mmCIF file of all heavy atoms in Angstrom:
data_model
loop_
_atom_site.group_PDB
_atom_site.id
_atom_site.type_symbol
_atom_site.label_atom_id
_atom_site.label_comp_id
_atom_site.label_asym_id
_atom_site.label_seq_id
_atom_site.Cartn_x
_atom_site.Cartn_y
_atom_site.Cartn_z
ATOM 1 N N LEU A 1 -89.259 89.009 -12.243
ATOM 2 C CA LEU A 1 -89.309 90.147 -13.145
ATOM 3 C C LEU A 1 -90.493 91.023 -12.749
ATOM 4 O O LEU A 1 -91.633 90.610 -12.807
ATOM 5 C CB LEU A 1 -89.474 89.666 -14.596
ATOM 6 C CG LEU A 1 -89.606 90.750 -15.670
ATOM 7 C CD1 LEU A 1 -88.402 91.660 -15.646
ATOM 8 C CD2 LEU A 1 -89.795 90.120 -17.037
ATOM 9 N N LYS A 2 -90.216 92.259 -12.329
ATOM 10 C CA LYS A 2 -91.278 93.114 -11.813
ATOM 11 C C LYS A 2 -91.416 94.409 -12.582
ATOM 12 O O LYS A 2 -92.517 94.852 -12.861
ATOM 13 C CB LYS A 2 -91.027 93.408 -10.326
ATOM 14 C CG LYS A 2 -91.114 92.168 -9.446
ATOM 15 C CD LYS A 2 -90.883 92.522 -7.995
ATOM 16 C CE LYS A 2 -90.980 91.277 -7.114
ATOM 17 N NZ LYS A 2 -90.751 91.589 -5.682
ATOM 18 N N THR A 3 -90.347 95.053 -12.879
ATOM 19 C CA THR A 3 -90.420 96.345 -13.559
ATOM 20 C C THR A 3 -89.447 96.374 -14.720
ATOM 21 O O THR A 3 -88.512 95.566 -14.805
ATOM 22 C CB THR A 3 -90.073 97.498 -12.598
ATOM 23 O OG1 THR A 3 -88.681 97.413 -12.273
ATOM 24 C CG2 THR A 3 -90.899 97.421 -11.328
ATOM 25 N N ARG A 4 -89.629 97.363 -15.584
ATOM 26 C CA ARG A 4 -88.742 97.510 -16.727
ATOM 27 C C ARG A 4 -87.326 97.876 -16.267
ATOM 28 O O ARG A 4 -86.347 97.543 -16.911
ATOM 29 C CB ARG A 4 -89.273 98.587 -17.667
ATOM 30 C CG ARG A 4 -90.572 98.202 -18.366
ATOM 31 C CD ARG A 4 -91.087 99.344 -19.209
ATOM 32 N NE ARG A 4 -90.122 99.678 -20.256
ATOM 33 C CZ ARG A 4 -90.282 100.701 -21.080
ATOM 34 N NH1 ARG A 4 -91.331 101.499 -20.959
ATOM 35 N NH2 ARG A 4 -89.377 100.959 -22.018
ATOM 36 N N HIS A 5 -87.233 98.572 -15.149
ATOM 37 C CA HIS A 5 -85.920 98.970 -14.649
ATOM 38 C C HIS A 5 -85.224 97.824 -13.929
ATOM 39 O O HIS A 5 -84.004 97.770 -13.874
ATOM 40 C CB HIS A 5 -86.065 100.168 -13.706
ATOM 41 C CG HIS A 5 -86.618 101.384 -14.376
ATOM 42 N ND1 HIS A 5 -85.897 102.115 -15.294
ATOM 43 C CD2 HIS A 5 -87.827 101.989 -14.278
ATOM 44 C CE1 HIS A 5 -86.627 103.140 -15.730
ATOM 45 N NE2 HIS A 5 -87.809 103.081 -15.129
ATOM 46 N N GLU A 6 -86.011 96.906 -13.383
ATOM 47 C CA GLU A 6 -85.439 95.804 -12.624
ATOM 48 C C GLU A 6 -84.867 94.732 -13.551
ATOM 49 O O GLU A 6 -83.892 94.066 -13.215
ATOM 50 C CB GLU A 6 -86.520 95.191 -11.731
ATOM 51 C CG GLU A 6 -85.984 94.194 -10.717
ATOM 52 C CD GLU A 6 -87.068 93.672 -9.808
ATOM 53 O OE1 GLU A 6 -88.258 93.938 -10.083
ATOM 54 O OE2 GLU A 6 -86.735 92.999 -8.830
ATOM 55 N N PHE A 7 -85.441 94.605 -14.717
ATOM 56 C CA PHE A 7 -85.036 93.539 -15.634
ATOM 57 C C PHE A 7 -83.550 93.593 -16.006
ATOM 58 O O PHE A 7 -82.840 92.615 -15.830
ATOM 59 C CB PHE A 7 -85.912 93.578 -16.883
ATOM 60 C CG PHE A 7 -85.512 92.603 -17.941
ATOM 61 C CD1 PHE A 7 -85.827 91.267 -17.823
ATOM 62 C CD2 PHE A 7 -84.799 93.021 -19.051
ATOM 63 C CE1 PHE A 7 -85.451 90.359 -18.794
ATOM 64 C CE2 PHE A 7 -84.417 92.132 -20.021
ATOM 65 C CZ PHE A 7 -84.747 90.805 -19.891
ATOM 66 N N PRO A 8 -83.048 94.727 -16.498
ATOM 67 C CA PRO A 8 -81.635 94.738 -16.893
ATOM 68 C C PRO A 8 -80.692 94.462 -15.732
ATOM 69 O O PRO A 8 -79.679 93.798 -15.904
ATOM 70 C CB PRO A 8 -81.437 96.153 -17.439
ATOM 71 C CG PRO A 8 -82.804 96.630 -17.780
ATOM 72 C CD PRO A 8 -83.697 95.999 -16.771
ATOM 73 N N ARG A 9 -81.018 94.978 -14.531
ATOM 74 C CA ARG A 9 -80.129 94.799 -13.394
ATOM 75 C C ARG A 9 -80.044 93.327 -12.993
ATOM 76 O O ARG A 9 -78.954 92.798 -12.750
ATOM 77 C CB ARG A 9 -80.622 95.647 -12.220
ATOM 78 C CG ARG A 9 -79.662 95.608 -11.019
ATOM 79 C CD ARG A 9 -80.048 96.610 -9.944
ATOM 80 N NE ARG A 9 -81.318 96.280 -9.311
ATOM 81 C CZ ARG A 9 -82.437 96.952 -9.491
ATOM 82 N NH1 ARG A 9 -82.465 97.987 -10.329
ATOM 83 N NH2 ARG A 9 -83.562 96.604 -8.876
ATOM 84 N N LYS A 10 -81.164 92.641 -12.920
ATOM 85 C CA LYS A 10 -81.159 91.237 -12.508
ATOM 86 C C LYS A 10 -80.543 90.344 -13.580
ATOM 87 O O LYS A 10 -79.825 89.393 -13.265
ATOM 88 C CB LYS A 10 -82.577 90.787 -12.177
ATOM 89 C CG LYS A 10 -83.083 91.360 -10.866
ATOM 90 C CD LYS A 10 -84.134 90.459 -10.251
ATOM 91 C CE LYS A 10 -84.449 90.904 -8.827
ATOM 92 N NZ LYS A 10 -85.411 90.016 -8.170
ATOM 93 N N VAL A 11 -80.826 90.639 -14.835
ATOM 94 C CA VAL A 11 -80.217 89.855 -15.900
ATOM 95 C C VAL A 11 -78.704 90.065 -15.911
ATOM 96 O O VAL A 11 -77.933 89.128 -16.133
ATOM 97 C CB VAL A 11 -80.830 90.227 -17.264
ATOM 98 C CG1 VAL A 11 -80.046 89.572 -18.397
ATOM 99 C CG2 VAL A 11 -82.280 89.774 -17.327
ATOM 100 N N LYS A 12 -78.279 91.296 -15.643
ATOM 101 C CA LYS A 12 -76.851 91.581 -15.591
ATOM 102 C C LYS A 12 -76.179 90.764 -14.491
ATOM 103 O O LYS A 12 -75.090 90.205 -14.679
ATOM 104 C CB LYS A 12 -76.637 93.079 -15.321
ATOM 105 C CG LYS A 12 -75.266 93.586 -15.749
ATOM 106 C CD LYS A 12 -75.195 93.692 -17.257
ATOM 107 C CE LYS A 12 -73.887 94.335 -17.691
ATOM 108 N NZ LYS A 12 -73.776 94.388 -19.168
ATOM 109 N N LYS A 13 -76.832 90.664 -13.340
ATOM 110 C CA LYS A 13 -76.280 89.863 -12.251
ATOM 111 C C LYS A 13 -76.233 88.381 -12.626
ATOM 112 O O LYS A 13 -75.298 87.665 -12.262
ATOM 113 C CB LYS A 13 -77.101 90.067 -10.986
ATOM 114 C CG LYS A 13 -76.927 91.448 -10.355
ATOM 115 C CD LYS A 13 -77.784 91.605 -9.114
ATOM 116 C CE LYS A 13 -77.575 92.971 -8.473
ATOM 117 N NZ LYS A 13 -78.431 93.165 -7.277
ATOM 118 N N GLN A 14 -77.251 87.930 -13.359
ATOM 119 C CA GLN A 14 -77.234 86.539 -13.817
ATOM 120 C C GLN A 14 -76.111 86.304 -14.818
ATOM 121 O O GLN A 14 -75.503 85.227 -14.841
ATOM 122 C CB GLN A 14 -78.586 86.173 -14.430
ATOM 123 C CG GLN A 14 -79.706 86.064 -13.404
ATOM 124 C CD GLN A 14 -81.004 85.611 -14.017
ATOM 125 O OE1 GLN A 14 -81.222 85.759 -15.216
ATOM 126 N NE2 GLN A 14 -81.878 85.051 -13.206
ATOM 127 N N GLN A 15 -75.834 87.307 -15.647
ATOM 128 C CA GLN A 15 -74.711 87.195 -16.573
ATOM 129 C C GLN A 15 -73.397 87.058 -15.811
ATOM 130 O O GLN A 15 -72.570 86.196 -16.118
ATOM 131 C CB GLN A 15 -74.666 88.421 -17.487
ATOM 132 C CG GLN A 15 -75.807 88.510 -18.476
ATOM 133 C CD GLN A 15 -75.810 89.827 -19.223
ATOM 134 O OE1 GLN A 15 -74.996 90.711 -18.958
ATOM 135 N NE2 GLN A 15 -76.736 89.990 -20.156
ATOM 136 N N TYR A 16 -73.198 87.902 -14.810
ATOM 137 C CA TYR A 16 -71.971 87.845 -14.011
ATOM 138 C C TYR A 16 -71.859 86.511 -13.276
ATOM 139 O O TYR A 16 -70.763 85.953 -13.144
ATOM 140 C CB TYR A 16 -71.933 88.995 -13.010
ATOM 141 C CG TYR A 16 -71.782 90.364 -13.634
ATOM 142 C CD1 TYR A 16 -72.365 91.491 -13.058
ATOM 143 C CD2 TYR A 16 -71.050 90.544 -14.808
ATOM 144 C CE1 TYR A 16 -72.228 92.748 -13.625
ATOM 145 C CE2 TYR A 16 -70.918 91.796 -15.387
ATOM 146 C CZ TYR A 16 -71.506 92.890 -14.792
ATOM 147 O OH TYR A 16 -71.367 94.132 -15.360
ATOM 148 N N ALA A 17 -72.997 86.008 -12.776
ATOM 149 C CA ALA A 17 -72.980 84.728 -12.069
ATOM 150 C C ALA A 17 -72.574 83.597 -13.009
ATOM 151 O O ALA A 17 -71.776 82.723 -12.648
ATOM 152 C CB ALA A 17 -74.355 84.451 -11.459
ATOM 153 N N ALA A 18 -73.121 83.609 -14.226
ATOM 154 C CA ALA A 18 -72.764 82.581 -15.203
ATOM 155 C C ALA A 18 -71.284 82.677 -15.571
ATOM 156 O O ALA A 18 -70.594 81.655 -15.699
ATOM 157 C CB ALA A 18 -73.633 82.719 -16.451
ATOM 158 N N MET A 19 -70.778 83.909 -15.732
ATOM 159 C CA MET A 19 -69.354 84.089 -16.027
ATOM 160 C C MET A 19 -68.487 83.515 -14.914
ATOM 161 O O MET A 19 -67.463 82.872 -15.175
ATOM 162 C CB MET A 19 -69.045 85.580 -16.208
ATOM 163 C CG MET A 19 -69.630 86.213 -17.447
ATOM 164 S SD MET A 19 -69.360 88.009 -17.452
ATOM 165 C CE MET A 19 -70.402 88.500 -18.829
ATOM 166 N N SER A 20 -68.902 83.732 -13.674
ATOM 167 C CA SER A 20 -68.109 83.248 -12.541
ATOM 168 C C SER A 20 -68.071 81.725 -12.502
ATOM 169 O O SER A 20 -67.048 81.134 -12.137
ATOM 170 C CB SER A 20 -68.665 83.801 -11.226
ATOM 171 O OG SER A 20 -69.929 83.246 -10.921
ATOM 172 N N VAL A 21 -69.160 81.072 -12.903
ATOM 173 C CA VAL A 21 -69.186 79.608 -12.923
ATOM 174 C C VAL A 21 -68.259 79.078 -14.014
ATOM 175 O O VAL A 21 -67.506 78.112 -13.803
ATOM 176 C CB VAL A 21 -70.619 79.088 -13.122
ATOM 177 C CG1 VAL A 21 -70.618 77.569 -13.285
ATOM 178 C CG2 VAL A 21 -71.499 79.475 -11.942
ATOM 179 N N PHE A 22 -68.290 79.688 -15.188
ATOM 180 C CA PHE A 22 -67.373 79.281 -16.257
ATOM 181 C C PHE A 22 -65.924 79.486 -15.831
ATOM 182 O O PHE A 22 -65.059 78.637 -16.094
ATOM 183 C CB PHE A 22 -67.663 80.065 -17.537
ATOM 184 C CG PHE A 22 -68.736 79.467 -18.388
ATOM 185 C CD1 PHE A 22 -70.059 79.854 -18.251
ATOM 186 C CD2 PHE A 22 -68.439 78.503 -19.331
ATOM 187 C CE1 PHE A 22 -71.056 79.298 -19.032
ATOM 188 C CE2 PHE A 22 -69.425 77.937 -20.125
ATOM 189 C CZ PHE A 22 -70.743 78.339 -19.971
ATOM 190 N N PHE A 23 -65.648 80.608 -15.179
ATOM 191 C CA PHE A 23 -64.303 80.873 -14.683
ATOM 192 C C PHE A 23 -63.889 79.786 -13.691
ATOM 193 O O PHE A 23 -62.760 79.286 -13.738
ATOM 194 C CB PHE A 23 -64.257 82.248 -14.007
ATOM 195 C CG PHE A 23 -62.910 82.612 -13.448
ATOM 196 C CD1 PHE A 23 -62.006 83.343 -14.205
ATOM 197 C CD2 PHE A 23 -62.547 82.236 -12.166
ATOM 198 C CE1 PHE A 23 -60.760 83.672 -13.693
ATOM 199 C CE2 PHE A 23 -61.306 82.562 -11.648
ATOM 200 C CZ PHE A 23 -60.410 83.286 -12.412
ATOM 201 N N LEU A 24 -64.810 79.411 -12.823
ATOM 202 C CA LEU A 24 -64.516 78.430 -11.775
ATOM 203 C C LEU A 24 -64.149 77.077 -12.359
ATOM 204 O O LEU A 24 -63.137 76.467 -11.969
ATOM 205 C CB LEU A 24 -65.720 78.298 -10.841
ATOM 206 C CG LEU A 24 -65.539 77.416 -9.609
ATOM 207 C CD1 LEU A 24 -64.602 78.097 -8.619
ATOM 208 C CD2 LEU A 24 -66.892 77.140 -8.949
ATOM 209 N N VAL A 25 -64.952 76.586 -13.299
ATOM 210 C CA VAL A 25 -64.679 75.255 -13.854
ATOM 211 C C VAL A 25 -63.399 75.282 -14.685
ATOM 212 O O VAL A 25 -62.599 74.327 -14.657
ATOM 213 C CB VAL A 25 -65.888 74.744 -14.676
ATOM 214 C CG1 VAL A 25 -66.089 75.538 -15.945
ATOM 215 C CG2 VAL A 25 -65.724 73.256 -14.998
ATOM 216 N N GLY A 26 -63.150 76.382 -15.403
ATOM 217 C CA GLY A 26 -61.898 76.501 -16.146
ATOM 218 C C GLY A 26 -60.696 76.564 -15.220
ATOM 219 O O GLY A 26 -59.641 75.984 -15.504
ATOM 220 N N PHE A 27 -60.859 77.267 -14.104
ATOM 221 C CA PHE A 27 -59.780 77.417 -13.127
ATOM 222 C C PHE A 27 -59.348 76.060 -12.579
ATOM 223 O O PHE A 27 -58.164 75.715 -12.590
ATOM 224 C CB PHE A 27 -60.243 78.331 -11.990
ATOM 225 C CG PHE A 27 -59.211 78.570 -10.925
ATOM 226 C CD1 PHE A 27 -58.369 79.659 -10.992
ATOM 227 C CD2 PHE A 27 -59.080 77.699 -9.848
ATOM 228 C CE1 PHE A 27 -57.411 79.889 -10.023
ATOM 229 C CE2 PHE A 27 -58.130 77.909 -8.867
ATOM 230 C CZ PHE A 27 -57.289 79.009 -8.956
ATOM 231 N N PHE A 28 -60.305 75.268 -12.102
ATOM 232 C CA PHE A 28 -59.960 73.985 -11.486
ATOM 233 C C PHE A 28 -59.496 72.965 -12.526
ATOM 234 O O PHE A 28 -58.640 72.120 -12.236
ATOM 235 C CB PHE A 28 -61.143 73.445 -10.690
ATOM 236 C CG PHE A 28 -61.242 74.039 -9.316
ATOM 237 C CD1 PHE A 28 -62.300 74.864 -8.982
ATOM 238 C CD2 PHE A 28 -60.286 73.788 -8.359
ATOM 239 C CE1 PHE A 28 -62.396 75.423 -7.721
ATOM 240 C CE2 PHE A 28 -60.360 74.339 -7.091
ATOM 241 C CZ PHE A 28 -61.425 75.160 -6.768
#
């Protein structure tokens, strides 16, 4: 976490990553 502008973007990517993991386990 470095700047106020960087925070939302990185957290958003972490949200998408978590969604993809849930999708993956549900898929299999």
Side-chain angles (χ1 to χ4, degrees):
L1 177 58
K2 295 181 180 180
T3 69
R4 292 176 62 185
H5 297 289
E6 190 177 10
F7 175 77
R9 185 171 67 252
K10 287 206 170 183
V11 171
K12 202 74 174 177
K13 289 179 179 178
Q14 289 184 338
Q15 291 172 356
Y16 292 147
M19 291 173 190
S20 69
V21 174
F22 274 92
F23 180 93
L24 186 71
V25 69
F27 180 93
F28 277 113

